[in-house]
Tab-separated table of all heavy atoms in Angstrom:
chain	number	residue	atom	x	y	z
A	48	LEU	N	19.402	-17.156	36.332
A	48	LEU	CA	20.434	-17.520	35.369
A	48	LEU	C	20.199	-16.899	34.011
A	48	LEU	O	21.112	-16.410	33.367
A	48	LEU	CB	20.508	-19.048	35.240
A	48	LEU	CG	21.635	-19.618	34.372
A	48	LEU	CD1	22.979	-19.227	34.954
A	48	LEU	CD2	21.520	-21.127	34.281
A	278	LEU	N	25.984	-32.650	41.313
A	278	LEU	CA	25.778	-31.237	41.043
A	278	LEU	C	26.611	-30.380	41.987
A	278	LEU	O	27.280	-29.428	41.559
A	278	LEU	CB	24.284	-30.918	41.187
A	278	LEU	CG	23.869	-29.454	41.103
A	278	LEU	CD1	24.072	-28.943	39.686
A	278	LEU	CD2	22.411	-29.292	41.512
A	281	TRP	N	30.370	-29.981	41.415
A	281	TRP	CA	30.697	-29.327	40.137
A	281	TRP	C	30.995	-30.359	39.047
A	281	TRP	O	31.853	-30.160	38.202
A	281	TRP	CB	31.875	-28.359	40.284
A	281	TRP	CG	31.616	-27.258	41.258
A	281	TRP	CD1	30.426	-26.924	41.821
A	281	TRP	CD2	32.583	-26.367	41.796
A	281	TRP	NE1	30.557	-25.868	42.671
A	281	TRP	CE2	31.891	-25.501	42.682
A	281	TRP	CE3	33.955	-26.204	41.624
A	281	TRP	CZ2	32.531	-24.492	43.382
A	281	TRP	CZ3	34.592	-25.195	42.331
A	281	TRP	CH2	33.881	-24.347	43.205
A	282	ASP	N	30.299	-31.474	39.096
A	282	ASP	CA	30.467	-32.509	38.080
A	282	ASP	C	29.608	-32.141	36.883
A	282	ASP	O	28.389	-32.265	36.922
A	282	ASP	CB	30.054	-33.871	38.648
A	282	ASP	CG	30.195	-35.002	37.639
A	282	ASP	OD1	30.735	-34.748	36.547
A	282	ASP	OD2	29.773	-36.131	37.969
A	283	THR	N	30.238	-31.712	35.802
A	283	THR	CA	29.474	-31.290	34.625
A	283	THR	C	28.823	-32.464	33.922
A	283	THR	O	28.008	-32.275	33.022
A	283	THR	CB	30.376	-30.547	33.635
A	283	THR	OG1	31.487	-31.388	33.273
A	283	THR	CG2	30.901	-29.257	34.245
A	284	ASN	N	29.163	-33.709	34.316
A	284	ASN	CA	28.512	-34.892	33.743
A	284	ASN	C	27.293	-35.325	34.561
A	284	ASN	O	26.691	-36.350	34.273
A	284	ASN	CB	29.505	-36.059	33.662
A	284	ASN	CG	30.621	-35.795	32.672
A	284	ASN	OD1	30.388	-35.241	31.604
A	284	ASN	ND2	31.839	-36.178	33.037
A	285	ALA	N	26.959	-34.536	35.577
A	285	ALA	CA	25.814	-34.899	36.422
A	285	ALA	C	24.513	-34.886	35.637
A	285	ALA	O	23.519	-35.479	36.054
A	285	ALA	CB	25.712	-33.948	37.606
A	286	SER	N	24.493	-34.216	34.486
A	286	SER	CA	23.274	-34.117	33.696
A	286	SER	C	23.094	-35.270	32.724
A	286	SER	O	22.181	-35.253	31.916
A	286	SER	CB	23.290	-32.801	32.907
A	286	SER	OG	24.397	-32.767	32.018
A	287	SER	N	23.942	-36.308	32.788
A	287	SER	CA	23.830	-37.402	31.824
A	287	SER	C	22.533	-38.185	32.008
A	287	SER	O	21.888	-38.546	31.040
A	287	SER	CB	25.035	-38.346	31.963
A	287	SER	OG	25.118	-38.849	33.291
A	340	TYR	N	20.678	-24.013	43.016
A	340	TYR	CA	22.122	-24.165	42.858
A	340	TYR	C	22.501	-24.295	41.387
A	340	TYR	O	23.502	-23.727	40.941
A	340	TYR	CB	22.588	-25.390	43.628
A	340	TYR	CG	24.095	-25.497	43.736
A	340	TYR	CD1	24.786	-24.731	44.666
A	340	TYR	CD2	24.808	-26.361	42.916
A	340	TYR	CE1	26.159	-24.820	44.773
A	340	TYR	CE2	26.183	-26.458	43.012
A	340	TYR	CZ	26.859	-25.682	43.948
A	340	TYR	OH	28.223	-25.769	44.046
A	341	ALA	N	21.699	-25.029	40.619
A	341	ALA	CA	22.015	-25.218	39.204
A	341	ALA	C	21.867	-23.932	38.413
A	341	ALA	O	22.585	-23.718	37.428
A	341	ALA	CB	21.121	-26.302	38.603
A	342	THR	N	20.938	-23.090	38.804
A	342	THR	CA	20.717	-21.864	38.034
A	342	THR	C	21.795	-20.825	38.277
A	342	THR	O	22.285	-20.194	37.347
A	342	THR	CB	19.343	-21.265	38.360
A	342	THR	OG1	19.216	-21.110	39.777
A	342	THR	CG2	18.227	-22.146	37.844
A	345	PHE	N	25.904	-22.101	42.110
A	345	PHE	CA	27.229	-22.701	41.996
A	345	PHE	C	28.316	-21.663	41.745
A	345	PHE	O	29.506	-21.934	41.862
A	345	PHE	CB	27.250	-23.719	40.850
A	345	PHE	CG	27.169	-23.083	39.487
A	345	PHE	CD1	28.323	-22.751	38.804
A	345	PHE	CD2	25.944	-22.784	38.912
A	345	PHE	CE1	28.256	-22.144	37.561
A	345	PHE	CE2	25.875	-22.180	37.676
A	345	PHE	CZ	27.025	-21.861	36.994
A	353	THR	N	34.397	-21.470	38.266
A	353	THR	CA	32.955	-21.329	38.088
A	353	THR	C	32.582	-20.190	37.151
A	353	THR	O	31.424	-20.080	36.752
A	353	THR	CB	32.268	-21.097	39.442
A	353	THR	OG1	32.752	-19.872	40.005
A	353	THR	CG2	32.558	-22.245	40.394
A	355	LEU	N	34.053	-19.851	34.214
A	355	LEU	CA	34.323	-20.296	32.847
A	355	LEU	C	33.012	-20.523	32.102
A	355	LEU	O	32.071	-21.118	32.650
A	355	LEU	CB	35.139	-21.589	32.858
A	355	LEU	CG	36.574	-21.497	33.401
A	355	LEU	CD1	37.202	-22.879	33.442
A	355	LEU	CD2	37.400	-20.549	32.536
A	356	PRO	N	32.935	-20.074	30.841
A	356	PRO	CA	31.691	-20.289	30.072
A	356	PRO	C	31.297	-21.758	29.982
A	356	PRO	O	30.108	-22.084	30.004
A	356	PRO	CB	32.046	-19.709	28.697
A	356	PRO	CG	33.117	-18.708	28.976
A	356	PRO	CD	33.921	-19.272	30.106
A	357	LEU	N	32.287	-22.663	29.888
A	357	LEU	CA	31.977	-24.082	29.787
A	357	LEU	C	31.242	-24.584	31.022
A	357	LEU	O	30.272	-25.339	30.931
A	357	LEU	CB	33.269	-24.886	29.584
A	357	LEU	CG	33.096	-26.412	29.495
A	357	LEU	CD1	32.275	-26.776	28.263
A	357	LEU	CD2	34.469	-27.100	29.459
A	358	VAL	N	31.670	-24.141	32.199
A	358	VAL	CA	31.034	-24.568	33.447
A	358	VAL	C	29.644	-23.951	33.567
A	358	VAL	O	28.678	-24.628	33.929
A	358	VAL	CB	31.919	-24.181	34.645
A	358	VAL	CG1	31.231	-24.542	35.958
A	358	VAL	CG2	33.266	-24.877	34.550
A	359	ARG	N	29.549	-22.668	33.265
A	359	ARG	CA	28.247	-22.008	33.351
A	359	ARG	C	27.244	-22.643	32.394
A	359	ARG	O	26.078	-22.858	32.738
A	359	ARG	CB	28.389	-20.515	33.046
A	359	ARG	CG	29.128	-19.739	34.132
A	359	ARG	CD	29.127	-18.245	33.834
A	359	ARG	NE	27.778	-17.724	33.801
A	359	ARG	CZ	27.090	-17.368	34.888
A	359	ARG	NH1	27.632	-17.502	36.081
A	359	ARG	NH2	25.874	-16.883	34.781
A	360	ASP	N	27.684	-22.963	31.168
A	360	ASP	CA	26.780	-23.590	30.196
A	360	ASP	C	26.344	-24.977	30.649
A	360	ASP	O	25.200	-25.390	30.417
A	360	ASP	CB	27.459	-23.676	28.830
A	360	ASP	CG	27.603	-22.322	28.167
A	360	ASP	OD1	26.928	-21.376	28.623
A	360	ASP	OD2	28.391	-22.207	27.206
A	361	ALA	N	27.253	-25.710	31.298
A	361	ALA	CA	26.910	-27.049	31.776
A	361	ALA	C	25.814	-26.978	32.830
A	361	ALA	O	24.860	-27.767	32.813
A	361	ALA	CB	28.144	-27.744	32.341
A	362	PHE	N	25.921	-26.021	33.749
A	362	PHE	CA	24.909	-25.906	34.795
A	362	PHE	C	23.614	-25.295	34.250
A	362	PHE	O	22.523	-25.622	34.731
A	362	PHE	CB	25.444	-25.100	35.969
A	362	PHE	CG	26.325	-25.921	36.874
A	362	PHE	CD1	27.700	-25.948	36.685
A	362	PHE	CD2	25.777	-26.686	37.877
A	362	PHE	CE1	28.507	-26.712	37.512
A	362	PHE	CE2	26.579	-27.457	38.697
A	362	PHE	CZ	27.951	-27.474	38.515
A	363	ARG	N	23.710	-24.427	33.270
A	363	ARG	CA	22.497	-23.915	32.623
A	363	ARG	C	21.749	-25.071	31.946
A	363	ARG	O	20.522	-25.166	32.032
A	363	ARG	CB	22.851	-22.831	31.617
A	363	ARG	CG	21.630	-22.301	30.855
A	363	ARG	CD	22.004	-21.268	29.813
A	363	ARG	NE	22.360	-19.992	30.441
A	363	ARG	CZ	23.577	-19.501	30.487
A	363	ARG	NH1	24.591	-20.200	29.964
A	363	ARG	NH2	23.812	-18.333	31.047
A	364	TYR	N	22.494	-25.941	31.278
A	364	TYR	CA	21.892	-27.109	30.641
A	364	TYR	C	21.204	-27.992	31.680
A	364	TYR	O	20.091	-28.480	31.473
A	364	TYR	CB	22.980	-27.886	29.904
A	364	TYR	CG	22.506	-29.115	29.160
A	364	TYR	CD1	21.537	-29.019	28.160
A	364	TYR	CD2	23.038	-30.364	29.453
A	364	TYR	CE1	21.107	-30.150	27.481
A	364	TYR	CE2	22.615	-31.491	28.779
A	364	TYR	CZ	21.654	-31.378	27.793
A	364	TYR	OH	21.234	-32.493	27.123
A	365	TYR	N	21.862	-28.181	32.826
A	365	TYR	CA	21.292	-29.010	33.886
A	365	TYR	C	20.000	-28.401	34.413
A	365	TYR	O	19.016	-29.106	34.655
A	365	TYR	CB	22.308	-29.152	35.012
A	365	TYR	CG	21.906	-30.127	36.090
A	365	TYR	CD1	22.233	-31.471	35.987
A	365	TYR	CD2	21.180	-29.713	37.201
A	365	TYR	CE1	21.866	-32.380	36.964
A	365	TYR	CE2	20.804	-30.611	38.177
A	365	TYR	CZ	21.152	-31.944	38.061
A	365	TYR	OH	20.772	-32.834	39.022
A	366	SER	N	19.971	-27.078	34.585
A	366	SER	CA	18.754	-26.438	35.097
A	366	SER	C	17.607	-26.579	34.114
A	366	SER	O	16.450	-26.751	34.508
A	366	SER	CB	19.026	-24.965	35.405
A	366	SER	OG	19.191	-24.212	34.220
A	367	HIS	N	17.900	-26.537	32.814
A	367	HIS	CA	16.853	-26.715	31.810
A	367	HIS	C	16.343	-28.154	31.798
A	367	HIS	O	15.161	-28.395	31.536
A	367	HIS	CB	17.383	-26.314	30.440
A	367	HIS	CG	17.444	-24.827	30.241
A	367	HIS	ND1	17.304	-24.222	29.011
A	367	HIS	CD2	17.603	-23.819	31.124
A	367	HIS	CE1	17.383	-22.911	29.142
A	367	HIS	NE2	17.572	-22.643	30.423
A	368	ILE	N	17.235	-29.096	32.068
A	368	ILE	CA	16.808	-30.493	32.175
A	368	ILE	C	15.791	-30.646	33.303
A	368	ILE	O	14.759	-31.305	33.164
A	368	ILE	CB	18.021	-31.409	32.446
A	368	ILE	CG1	18.924	-31.487	31.209
A	368	ILE	CG2	17.554	-32.814	32.838
A	368	ILE	CD1	20.235	-32.159	31.482
A	369	MET	N	16.064	-30.038	34.437
A	369	MET	CA	15.167	-30.148	35.581
A	369	MET	C	13.816	-29.528	35.266
A	369	MET	O	12.769	-30.078	35.630
A	369	MET	CB	15.809	-29.486	36.796
A	369	MET	CG	17.136	-30.107	37.203
A	369	MET	SD	17.915	-29.261	38.585
A	369	MET	CE	17.006	-29.963	39.941
Side-chain angles (χ1 to χ4, degrees):
L48 186 62
L278 173 69
W281 300 348
D282 180 7
T283 57
N284 293 320
S286 61
S287 58
Y340 190 79
T342 53
F345 71 92
T353 62
L355 293 176
L357 179 64
V358 177
R359 290 185 62 83
D360 289 345
F362 280 93
R363 177 183 286 109
Y364 181 59
Y365 187 89
S366 71
H367 283 210
I368 290 170
M369 300 177 80

